[in-house]
Amino acid sequence: MNINKGFEITTTTTMGRSVIATRDISPGSIVLRAVSTGNSSVLLDSVIGLKKHCCICLAPSSTVTSCNSPKCIASICQDCRATPSQMSIHTLECGMSSTECELTRSIVRLILSERTSKESVSNLVILEDHFDQFGQNRKDAWQDIVERAMQLTGLPLPPTPGAQEVLLRWMRVAAAFESNEFGITCPNRWIGESALSLGSESIGNGLFVHGCYVNHSCNPNSHFIVHCNAGKQPELFIRTTKPLKKGDHVFISYTSLYTTVDQRKDTLYDTYQFECKCERCEAAIDETEVGSMIDSAMMGMICTEASCSVGLLESPRSSEDSEDSEDSEDGEDSKDDKDEAENSNDDSTRKTTQNNTQKEEGKWICTECNVMQSIDNHMKCHQRLAQAISEMTVAASCMDTQDGMSSNGSSSSSTSSSLRYANEQLKELKAAEIQSSNYLHDFHVLRHAARIMMVGMTWLNTNGKDTIQISKLAQNALEPLRRAQTLNEYQLWISILETLSANNAEHRNVAIRVLQCHFGNKIGLSFMKNSQQPVKKKRKTVVYE
């Protein structure tokens, strides 16, 4: 592990081990880099059988060929075949382990690495595993995975003397792996399902122990990427994306950012056993902050009254609970003032009576105009859009522009049916999104997902050649995304969309510099070609090594 000058690892009382800046830091600076611990980086279950990525270096390659073993489904690139140290990784695991789930394959590699080099996995002891906090079902799953890994690597199983201790140790490693793994993606890969995620192709997971020192924030100031180069071990890079002052903590995001505060908190606690209290989450639960209103809008249904059309609908029960809570607090605070307590009780009675007379089955109340209204159409639109997104994902997963499109942009006969199905689903997605605009807020997570998907699917259908339509859809997705951010938390997605927009060359130049800070100079510059138009180059971005 190499941690660069300007940063240091420290321990704090609130966040444990952390990485902080020891001086002022510019965006694009490399915080640290580390190779995969114990060769534990593996392809996803959905990727390993596609034979498009090497199972050792994980790099996408046209030179991958199947392993020679009839029991192995792995594929290996020519560069790794020519590198003895790389081939030795697969030689030890070759066989049935290639058909196992991701976590089993990673544990197999860690066990084998410990046999050949205990130093390579010695740092596993520093990882938080949260093992004791998880329920029995999760522990049983880890036990099944570890027992299978021990069987594949020839380790004795219980009741063999001493085997129970070995089993428990590796169960804790499995728990630590799930709480500390890094997702491995290939950016700017507009093929198949990845096109629906702005070109981010998820290919694998891996453990990079020293990268785990960097803590989480829902408003991160840094970004991680795992570089997968042919013939080399996957390597984690963490780069700053915003200016840091001396003493600032380095933060990356552990979860999806375009979700509500409750969804983020639930995901983080379920996987990492902590409650996020970053500035963005704190603002989202403070009803006086703009972040709270935006958070509500992410799952919000809008008022359909012609005289309003701006308020969000709220369940009468939620409204009553909120009022009861406020009344309770008022009662506690006014024990020494009888007149104020009586007024508060009178107000509470009037509010409860009003709600009871207005309350009807299947109707919610607008937070602005206080009109009760049916949410039947809102729910139908929600269900239609959710279904369209699901079907669009299936359609995209069946497509690959590299295989399915000829050089002139026309489809081959083998993929014509997939293209027809995809086009049908794209039409349905567009129609469902347009209809939902009357019932779901502009910031709603489903509408955001649909707008992004329409950009990606149009790219996929035209092999990126219909720049006018792609640009139009990118601009349509950009506008609400800009309004929805309060702390510049969506700058990565905004920058990618800017590269697809043909409106403003200056914005694209800024976007390229942002992407260089996230991914490094080479990958960042690769986004220039997305607009299919010349982009005026400015001075080279300085990346501090």
Side-chain angles (χ1 to χ4, degrees), residues 234-280:
E235 188 172 16
L236 171 74
F237 282 75
I238 296 180
R239 295 180 174 88
T240 59
T241 57
K242 300 175 183 177
L244 271 65
K245 296 291 186 182
K246 181 179 179 180
D248 284 351
H249 285 251
V250 177
F251 291 113
I252 58 176
S253 175
Y254 295 178
T255 186
S256 177
L257 293 177
Y258 202 94
T259 52
T260 66
V261 62
D262 289 339
Q263 290 170 330
R264 296 196 306 274
K265 283 179 175 288
D266 288 347
T267 298
L268 290 168
Y269 191 82
D270 181 63
T271 305
Y272 306 104
Q273 295 293 301
F274 74 86
E275 182 179 359
C276 185
K277 294 184 178 181
C278 71
E279 57 181 333
R280 185 179 170 211

Side-chain angles (χ1 to χ4, degrees), residues 485-506:
Q485 71 173 357
T486 57
L487 299 168
N488 208 27
E489 61 268 35
Y490 304 140
Q491 65 170 350
L492 175 58
W493 301 329
I494 288 174
S495 297
I496 295 175
L497 289 169
E498 289 281 15
T499 68
L500 300 171
S501 173
N503 263 7
N504 193 312
E506 178 59 29

Side-chain angles (χ1 to χ4, degrees), residues 38-256:
N39 306 312
S40 60
S41 293
V42 298
L43 294 173
L44 299 177
D45 295 341
S46 58
V47 174
I48 190 170
L50 298 179
K51 304 188 184 303
K52 294 182 179 179
H53 293 262
C54 175
C55 73
I56 303 174
C57 65
L58 275 58
S61 175
S62 59
T63 69
V64 293
T65 54
S66 299
C67 175
N68 296 328
S69 172
K71 294 183 179 181
C72 189
I73 66 170
S75 297
I76 306 169
C77 70
Q78 287 183 1
D79 294 88
C80 283
R81 287 184 185 275
T83 308
S85 60
Q86 290 290 96
M87 274 305 295
S88 65
I89 297 172
H90 181 68
T91 300
L92 292 170
E93 68 176 0
C94 183
M96 293 300 295
S97 66
S98 65
T99 63
E100 300 293 331
C101 72
E102 297 148 27
L103 185 54
T104 301
R105 286 185 277 124
S106 290
I107 298 299
V108 165
R109 285 195 176 184
L110 288 169
I111 292 174
L112 294 174
S113 293
E114 187 175 53
R115 287 180 184 173
T116 57
S117 175
K118 287 187 178 294
E119 185 179 357
S120 66
V121 295
S122 61
N123 288 316
L124 291 176
V125 295
I126 70 175
L127 297 176
E128 292 280 358
D129 57 45
H130 309 294
F131 185 82
D132 296 326
Q133 283 97 313
F134 286 106
Q136 192 58 45
N137 289 341
R138 188 82 71 94
K139 292 178 181 178
D140 289 343
W142 288 325
Q143 179 172 340
D144 292 342
I145 285 170
V146 171
E147 286 180 345
R148 180 57 176 157
M150 292 173 67
Q151 181 183 26
L152 289 167
T153 55
L155 288 178
L157 294 168
T160 305
Q164 186 62 38
E165 289 76 10
V166 175
L167 173 64
L168 181 58
R169 180 208 167 197
W170 285 105
M171 285 173 63
R172 286 189 172 274
V173 170
F177 193 101
E178 286 199 344
S179 293
N180 293 277
E181 66 183 341
F182 284 82
I184 301 175
T185 61
C186 291
N188 210 20
R189 294 264 297 171
W190 297 80
I191 57 174
E193 192 175 338
S194 64
L196 305 186
S197 303
L198 294 180
S200 179
E201 181 187 22
S202 296
I203 63 167
N205 293 307
L207 186 63
F208 301 83
V209 168
H210 292 97
C212 303
Y213 290 128
V214 180
N215 287 313
H216 163 84
S217 172
C218 298
N219 178 35
N221 55 30
S222 301
H223 182 77
F224 75 86
I225 181 175
V226 178
H227 290 303
C228 299
N229 296 311
K232 298 180 180 179
Q233 293 188 56
E235 188 172 16
L236 171 74
F237 282 75
I238 296 180
R239 295 180 174 88
T240 59
T241 57
K242 300 175 183 177
L244 271 65
K245 296 291 186 182
K246 181 179 179 180
D248 284 351
H249 285 251
V250 177
F251 291 113
I252 58 176
S253 175
Y254 295 178
T255 186
S256 177

Side-chain angles (χ1 to χ4, degrees), residues 341-413:
E342 290 174 359
N343 291 336
S344 176
N345 289 333
D346 289 341
D347 289 342
S348 176
T349 302
R350 284 194 295 271
K351 291 176 182 177
T352 302
T353 302
Q354 181 182 11
N355 280 337
N356 286 337
T357 56
Q358 286 184 320
K359 188 174 177 181
E360 298 178 41
E361 188 70 25
K363 291 190 175 183
W364 285 23
I365 188 170
C366 175
T367 56
E368 291 292 326
C369 66
N370 291 323
V371 173
M372 295 287 290
Q373 53 201 275
S374 171
I375 61 168
D376 288 348
N377 288 334
H378 296 79
M379 296 307 298
K380 288 177 181 177
C381 282
H382 187 285
Q383 292 167 3
R384 181 186 180 186
L385 188 56
Q387 181 65 27
I389 289 172
S390 177
E391 293 292 338
M392 190 78 270
T393 303
V394 173
S397 66
C398 299
M399 298 178 63
D400 187 325
T401 57
Q402 290 181 337
D403 296 335
M405 303 294 291
S406 64
S407 59
N408 63 4
S410 61
S411 62
S412 63
S413 57

